[in-house]
Amino acid sequence: MLLLRQLTSVFSFLAGASLSCDRGSPASAMNSTGIVCRFTKEAGLVFNQETSDVIQAAFRHASFPNIEGMKSILFLGSVSYILKNLQINNMSMGNSDVDLSDEKGILISIQDVAAAFQGTMNYAYSNWLLNLNHSLDFEIESQIDLELALTLACDNGRIAVTISDCLLNFDKLTLQLQKRREASWIKKLFTDLVSFTLRHVIKGQICTEIHKMANLLADFTLDQAGEFIRDGEIATSTELTSDPVLTSGYIESRHKGTVFYKNSSVLHQPSAIPVERVETRMFNLWISEPVINSLLFAAYHDDRLILKLTGGDLLKLFEDGESKNEPNVLQQMIPAIPMHDLMIKLGPLKPPVILFKRVGTIMQSSISVEVDVLPGTKDSYTAVHLELDVKTTIQAFYANRKIRLQPTSNLWAIKAVKSNPAITLNEIKATRYLESFFSAGGLQKIISYVEFYITAMLNKKGLHYFNIINTQLDTDEGYVTIATDFSFPRQLLENFLRNLTPMTRS
């Protein structure tokens, strides 16, 4: 059974873009923007735990160069040393905090990072009498406070993360040696000569790894969004059109929302999303009419907007709880054919058009309703063919992980009626039958199939991993606002961390 699969993308959380980054005024950037995403400061609290996990991954993936040096020491002569194979064996993190700043960007503070570094120390000392070489394993216990400031920019349509501040404050850096009888002077050597260099090396490598990790995570997030809104040969780009906007209250990204069908773009007019917007939830999304209508255009040409019903589904569509002992509308229209031998097919005659108004979402469409006799004891043929112009207003809701669509008005007019000669259906009879069908709740039954398949597609794309609450869907002149509170899905982060090794950024 085929049903409006691409409509799922219409109600998905979308993102899209052009390859260029508009460096002009916010108003000029909005002229080419079809989609706007905004995360509020409160959303940062949700990402707090995930931020700590990413920082820990940065520590673990950091590679450290060998640390070499030489020093003349009284009575020992010349002492050379090399610390190599430095790696983190164990670590934990204390408190962490994420904040937003108009001037500095995203501020991340993590206290009490306990990390144990392990490696091998080779050292040699020589004088006029001796020339000795030694090697021993060591462990460095450290306690670090980490302060980060990240800024965001648009780089060829992608998010570029820059670390403007990366401060590692070492509260403790203690050397533990395997051969404790030599610990006295080697510890002094480490304290006096190696400690400063080691701090500098650790800071440089950790900050470099965090910068790399942040950009990989930005790429991963956009790629996941791209997969979420891709279905077959219909896709919406996730590239930015301008630099992200970062204030003390929110982070906002702007996207053009270009829809592609079979790798060709579907053109649409500039957006009607207002420059000034008010966020009501942790995550806020504004989508313009042109983006939605581009998706509907592509879906129509890909034969996605077709509903076929037979058997039990057909019975449910026409059953009327108040008149179970009487023939239903379809049986009255085609009395000579059993219901199980019939199939009804609904589909648009041209791409539907969506209008976002304050009263709700208005869908305008010219549709065909076709009742076919299935092959069996009789030859297959079309019993009835109707063409209608329909204008339906719908209120959309998302609750209990399900999409709900409630029609508030439905205007329709018959354009054409064709029927098998044995049925002799005319426009007057067809109008009466349709009035009976709609008055018995037929429109809501059709919409229930749309609700089911939209919900199934959203879950297939992973929306059910999010704990989405307090969702609000509002329509205004030319755009729809989707706002929600949420908790972050651990599955996505775990997937990112599992695939760190093969991930690269061009």
Side-chain angles (χ1 to χ4, degrees):
M1 182 170 53
L2 175 65
L3 175 67
L4 307 174
R5 286 182 294 161
Q6 188 54 31
L7 273 179
T8 57
S9 297
V10 173
F11 293 94
S12 298
F13 295 136
L14 304 174
S18 76
L19 285 171
S20 61
C21 300
D22 192 332
R23 306 294 180 183
S25 65
S28 66
M30 290 305 297
N31 287 336
S32 60
T33 297
I35 299 170
V36 177
C37 301
R38 181 180 289 184
F39 286 93
T40 64
K41 182 177 179 177
E42 288 72 21
L45 299 176
V46 174
F47 291 104
N48 199 15
Q49 178 59 46
E50 284 66 35
T51 300
S52 298
D53 290 343
V54 172
I55 297 298
Q56 288 194 57
F59 270 80
R60 293 191 181 98
H61 282 77
S63 58
F64 302 94
N66 295 339
I67 300 174
E68 302 181 49
M70 180 179 290
K71 182 69 175 179
S72 294
I73 299 179
L74 186 64
F75 302 122
L76 292 177
S78 176
V79 178
S80 62
Y81 60 88
I82 176 171
L83 278 68
K84 57 184 180 179
N85 302 324
L86 192 64
Q87 58 186 338
I88 294 178
N89 179 51
N90 194 10
M91 73 174 299
S92 63
M93 289 193 175
N95 300 325
S96 62
D97 185 42
V98 178
D99 200 0
L100 301 179
S101 168
D102 295 52
E103 297 180 355
K104 292 189 174 182
I106 304 172
L107 304 179
I108 300 174
S109 176
I110 301 178
Q111 291 79 41
D112 300 329
V113 180
F117 296 87
Q118 288 186 330
T120 302
M121 175 186 286
N122 293 339
Y123 64 95
Y125 52 92
S126 59
N127 54 31
W128 61 274
L129 185 62
L130 295 173
N131 189 355
L132 299 176
N133 294 276
H134 289 266
S135 176
L136 67 156
D137 296 330
F138 68 88
E139 182 175 275
I140 300 170
E141 295 180 355
S142 67
Q143 197 82 27
I144 305 170
D145 294 334
L146 178 64
E147 303 287 339
L148 297 170
L150 287 70
T151 58
L152 308 177
C154 176
D155 180 16
N156 290 323
R158 307 289 285 183
I159 294 177
V161 182
T162 301
I163 299 181
S164 55
D165 290 323
C166 182
L167 303 177
L168 271 70
N169 300 314
F170 291 85
D171 299 321
K172 181 176 73 171
L173 200 64
T174 305
L175 177 67
Q176 302 289 337
L177 298 175
Q178 185 179 24
K179 296 181 179 179
R180 297 189 179 277
R181 68 179 183 274
E182 299 183 83
S184 176
W185 71 269
I186 293 178
K187 280 187 176 182
K188 180 174 178 54
L189 172 70
F190 170 79
T191 302
D192 294 344
L193 304 179
V194 182
S195 178
F196 175 81
T197 303
L198 185 62
R199 292 168 190 257
H200 180 74
V201 168
I202 291 176
K203 174 184 175 181
Q205 295 304 115
I206 292 298
C207 292
T208 298
E209 193 66 28
I210 290 175
H211 179 259
K212 175 184 175 183
M213 196 77 65
N215 280 287
L216 286 174
L217 184 58
D219 284 345
F220 175 80
T221 302
L222 282 180
D223 291 341
Q224 289 295 307
E227 287 302 314
F228 188 84
I229 57 181
R230 178 185 299 274
D231 188 47
E233 295 187 279
I234 302 175
T236 307
S237 173
T238 60
E239 294 165 296
L240 301 174
T241 61
S242 62
D243 288 338
V245 177
L246 203 156
T247 74
S248 59
Y250 61 80
I251 301 172
E252 178 178 288
S253 61
R254 298 165 180 169
H255 312 262
K256 191 169 183 179
T258 304
V259 176
F260 292 90
Y261 175 57
K262 294 185 176 179
N263 297 322
S264 297
S265 63
V266 179
L267 299 177
H268 57 262
Q269 298 299 315
S271 162
I273 297 175
V275 174
E276 297 296 330
R277 294 167 301 280
V278 177
E279 66 276 2
T280 60
R281 298 290 189 271
M282 291 162 53
F283 173 70
N284 301 268
L285 186 69
W286 293 266
I287 310 173
S288 68
E289 279 177 7
V291 176
I292 301 299
N293 286 319
S294 296
L295 284 167
L296 288 174
F297 181 89
Y300 168 80
H301 287 283
D302 203 44
D303 295 328
R304 300 294 190 92
L305 307 180
I306 298 173
L307 170 63
K308 294 180 180 179
L309 297 175
T310 58
D313 292 316
L314 193 59
L315 286 170
K316 291 179 182 178
L317 181 62
F318 286 96
E319 68 181 0
D320 187 346
E322 296 181 358
S323 56
K324 291 184 178 181
N325 296 325
E326 299 179 7
N328 60 45
V329 172
L330 187 59
Q331 290 171 326
Q332 295 175 39
M333 187 185 305
I334 310 173
I337 308 296
M339 287 280 288
H340 57 76
D341 288 340
L342 297 175
M343 176 183 71
I344 190 168
K345 181 171 72 174
L346 291 86
L349 297 169
K350 59 183 180 181
V353 174
I354 285 286
L355 300 175
F356 290 129
K357 302 292 182 182
R358 293 183 179 179
V359 296
T361 301
I362 300 174
M363 176 176 283
Q364 298 177 339
S365 182
S366 296
I367 65 172
S368 68
V369 180
E370 189 173 283
V371 182
D372 294 332
V373 177
L374 297 171
T377 56
K378 306 177 180 62
D379 294 332
S380 177
Y381 64 91
T382 298
V384 172
H385 177 89
L386 304 177
E387 295 181 6
L388 303 88
D389 285 334
V390 179
K391 182 179 180 181
T392 305
T393 302
I394 296 173
Q395 293 283 351
F397 309 91
Y398 184 84
N400 299 321
R401 300 188 177 185
K402 295 180 180 179
I403 284 286
R404 298 298 185 194
L405 305 174
Q406 181 62 49
T408 58
S409 69
N410 184 43
L411 303 176
W412 52 275
I414 295 177
K415 293 170 54 180
V417 177
K418 298 178 183 178
S419 67
N420 186 276
I423 297 174
T424 64
L425 183 68
N426 56 35
E427 186 172 330
I428 295 176
K429 289 183 179 180
T431 300
R432 188 174 70 248
Y433 289 136
L434 286 173
E435 287 175 344
S436 298
F437 174 73
F438 288 128
S439 65
L443 177 62
Q444 184 59 61
K445 291 178 182 179
I446 292 176
I447 290 178
S448 68
Y449 285 97
V450 180
E451 293 173 336
F452 174 81
Y453 283 99
I454 291 176
T455 300
M457 178 61 79
L458 292 176
N459 290 338
K460 177 183 176 182
K461 295 296 184 177
L463 188 64
H464 61 293
Y465 290 144
F466 292 80
N467 181 23
I468 294 177
I469 56 176
N470 299 328
T471 303
Q472 179 179 331
L473 288 85
D474 292 327
T475 54
D476 211 322
E477 299 296 321
Y479 66 95
V480 61
T481 302
I482 303 172
T484 188
D485 296 329
F486 68 95
S487 61
F488 191 82
R490 292 289 301 176
Q491 290 87 342
L492 288 181
L493 181 66
E494 291 167 1
N495 186 37
F496 167 73
L497 297 175
R498 276 197 304 269
N499 293 278
L500 275 177
T501 302
M503 293 175 65
T504 57
R505 184 182 177 93
S506 58

